[in-house]
Amino acid sequence: LGDTITYTIVVTNTGDLTMNNIRVVDTLTDGNSSTLTLTSGPTLTSGNTSSLAVSGTATYQATFVINQQSVNSGSVINSVSVSGETPQGVTITDVIDTPVVVSIPSSPSIAINKSVVITDNGDGVTGIGDIAKYTITVENTGNISINNISVTETLTDLNGNALTLDSGPSFSGSNQNSAQGTLKPSETATYLAFYIIDQLVIDSGGLINVATAGNGTVSDTSNTVTTTITASPSLEVTKIANVSDNGDNLTGANDVI
C-alpha cells in the first residue's frame, strides 16, 4: 500500500512506412478485473508521435500508487494498446502480447485485547449485584481488508464453571466507520459485554474472561482478564429468652423459661 509502480511503454515502428498520430491507451485493472486509474500518464518522454519514422521509437511513462483495492485483490494488471496512421490514412493498431502483472502478497492478521471495569452497586464492596463491563478491541494488523469477523467470549468463575454474559459482546463502532464484521487495515473495532456478579462468582472467588476474534481464515485470542473477589465470611447468632410466670407475678421457682 502506497508504493509506486512505474510503467515504461516503448512504441516501435516496425513497418516500412512512417506512422503518424501515434496514440497509446493504457488499461489498468486489479486482480478481480475491476478498473483502476493510473496516478499519472501515460506521458511521452521521448520520440515524435506526430511522425514516427521507420525503426523509430516513442517512449511513454505512467505511474500507479498501489491502493487498498489493489492490495485486497492481490495484483495490478496493466495492458496497453497503440494505434497510428499511415501516410494514406490507414489506421494500424497493436496490443501488448502479455499484460504486465504486479503481484501484491497479502498478509491478513488481527489482534484482540480486552479490559474490565467493575461498577459498584453502592455498597462500596465488590460483590453481588456489581456489574463487570468488558471492553474488547479488535484491530486489523494486516495489509488487506478483513470481512465476516465475529467475537466470542468465554466466561467462567475461578472454579472453572461456565457462566453466561448478561449482555454482549455487542459491536459499538470502529475508528474508521466500517460496519460490524469488517475492518480495513489499521482499523480498530470496539465491542462491549456485561456480567452481573452473582453468588456463584462470590463463592468461587472471582471471574475469568477471555475473548476470541476471527473469520475462519485469521483469528486471535485476547489476554485473560481475571477479576478477584475477596470473600468476607461472617456469622452472627442471636438468642431471645421468654419467661412464662406461674401465676404469682414473680419470676421465680416453677416459672418456665
Side-chain angles (χ1 to χ4, degrees):
L1 182 67
D3 292 346
T4 300
I5 303 171
T6 300
Y7 297 100
T8 300
I9 305 155
V10 179
V11 178
T12 303
N13 184 346
T14 56
D16 57 1
L17 294 174
T18 297
M19 297 297 296
N20 305 318
N21 301 321
I22 303 297
R23 294 178 297 276
V24 169
V25 176
D26 203 315
T27 303
L28 198 66
T29 60
D30 65 17
N32 296 322
S33 299
S34 298
T35 300
L36 297 171
T37 302
L38 287 166
T39 305
S40 67
T43 303
L44 180 69
T45 58
S46 67
N48 182 359
T49 57
S50 297
S51 180
L52 188 61
V54 174
S55 299
T57 60
T59 302
Y60 297 79
Q61 191 172 87
T63 64
F64 176 71
V65 177
I66 296 174
N67 59 13
Q68 193 59 58
Q69 176 185 338
S70 53
V71 174
N72 289 346
S73 74
S75 62
V76 177
I77 302 169
N78 183 243
S79 182
V80 64
S81 63
V82 62
S83 64
E85 296 176 3
T86 68
Q88 292 77 30
V90 178
T91 298
I92 304 297
T93 63
D94 186 43
V95 178
I96 190 172
D97 293 332
T98 304
V100 176
V101 178
V102 176
S103 297
I104 307 171
S106 62
S107 301
S109 64
I110 57 176
I112 184 172
N113 188 66
K114 75 179 314 175
S115 60
V116 65
V117 174
I118 303 297
T119 301
D120 185 67
N121 63 2
D123 62 6
V125 178
T126 300
I128 294 177
D130 292 348
I131 298 174
K133 176 184 177 182
Y134 294 99
T135 300
I136 306 109
T137 58
V138 181
E139 180 184 4
N140 182 347
T141 53
N143 69 341
I144 62 171
S145 297
I146 300 176
N147 301 314
N148 302 316
I149 298 170
S150 61
V151 174
T152 57
E153 293 261 8
T154 301
L155 185 68
T156 64
D157 64 22
L158 289 191
N159 292 327
N161 297 308
L163 302 171
T164 302
L165 289 165
D166 289 288
S167 176
S170 301
F171 177 73
S172 67
S174 68
N175 61 357
Q176 294 184 40
N177 300 316
S178 289
Q180 180 176 352
T182 298
L183 286 176
K184 305 169 187 173
S186 300
E187 184 175 18
T188 299
T190 301
Y191 296 78
L192 299 176
F194 298 88
Y195 182 76
I196 301 173
I197 295 173
D198 57 16
Q199 189 61 55
L200 181 64
V201 172
I202 301 297
D203 291 344
S204 75
L207 291 164
I208 299 175
N209 183 246
V210 65
T212 300
N215 70 346
T217 301
V218 294
S219 65
D220 188 40
T221 300
S222 75
N223 53 306
T224 299
V225 176
T226 301
T227 302
T228 302
I229 301 173
T230 302
S232 300
S234 66
L235 293 173
E236 179 180 345
V237 62
T238 301
K239 188 172 185 178
I240 300 174
N242 293 311
V243 179
S244 298
D245 186 66
N246 63 2
D248 61 3
N249 295 320
L250 295 174
T251 299
N254 297 318
D255 290 346
V256 178
I257 300 175

